[in-house]
Amino acid sequence: MTIMPLLLEGIFFIGCALHSYTDFKEMLLYDEVSLVMLLAGLCYNYLLADISWAIVGAVLVGAVFLALYFLCPEGVGQGDVKLAFVLGAWLGWQKGLLSLVLSLWLGLIVGGLLLMLKRKQGKEAIPFGPYMCLSGLIMLYYGEDVLQWYSSLF
């Protein structure tokens, strides 16, 4: 592997770290960070896979989250939708969609624990970006294994 894909993965990792920090701190996912991550994901797939795979992934995964945004606008923010486009560009549609399922489970588990431990109240907002970022990183590095395991369930 050449150095360029590693640098692009570093951009993805740093972007995820920034998004997680700002979402926990300010409940915001900055567009500039998502844009840099999106461009890095397109370059990454251009170098290592197929750029059309990244575009299809971005559109499909982003569209799923856009639909969630319109169905429950109080629970999903615009930053989450943009981050879903980023994850699709990096992971393609299969791993991208599975990443969203994983992030929903992570958010549900952590949110449930926070409610049980009385750290959050029932209607209090919980940032979702960090769980999307964590699931994106898991799927970037272990996506094939997770995809095979998930497929074996059916």
Side-chain angles (χ1 to χ4, degrees):
M1 182 184 279
T2 64
I3 189 91
M4 185 56 83
L6 291 175
L7 290 173
L8 294 169
E9 287 178 8
I11 290 170
F12 184 69
F13 182 83
I14 290 168
C16 284
L18 284 170
H19 270 331
S20 295
Y21 177 78
T22 60
D23 208 13
F24 276 130
K25 210 65 168 152
E26 306 166 16
M27 296 289 290
L28 287 174
L29 299 172
Y30 289 99
D31 291 346
E32 297 83 0
V33 175
S34 290
L35 180 61
V36 170
M37 291 172 71
L38 177 67
L39 295 174
L42 293 173
C43 290
Y44 184 83
N45 278 296
Y46 176 77
L47 292 173
L48 295 181
D50 184 358
I51 190 74
S52 62
W53 188 254
I55 293 169
V56 168
V59 170
L60 185 61
V61 176
V64 168
F65 238 70
L66 187 59
L68 286 174
Y69 173 75
F70 286 118
L71 290 172
C72 34
E74 66 281 342
V76 177
Q78 292 177 4
D80 298 327
V81 174
K82 295 168 191 168
L83 183 54
F85 279 95
V86 170
L87 293 177
W90 270 92
L91 304 170
W93 72 270
Q94 289 178 313
K95 289 186 223 170
L97 289 175
L98 196 50
S99 172
L100 293 182
V101 170
L102 179 59
S103 66
L104 290 169
W105 277 105
L106 289 170
L108 182 67
I109 291 167
V110 172
L113 287 172
L114 289 173
L115 288 172
M116 284 178 19
L117 297 172
K118 300 194 191 263
R119 300 267 182 157
K120 293 280 185 179
Q121 300 299 317
K123 292 284 185 176
E124 201 173 343
I126 297 173
F128 191 59
Y131 309 110
M132 293 175 71
C133 288
L134 178 59
S135 68
L137 287 165
I138 290 169
M139 292 305 292
L140 181 65
Y141 294 109
Y142 302 105
E144 288 301 321
D145 295 331
V146 174
L147 201 54
Q148 285 179 355
W149 169 79
Y150 188 75
S151 297
S152 73
L153 296 175
F154 302 101

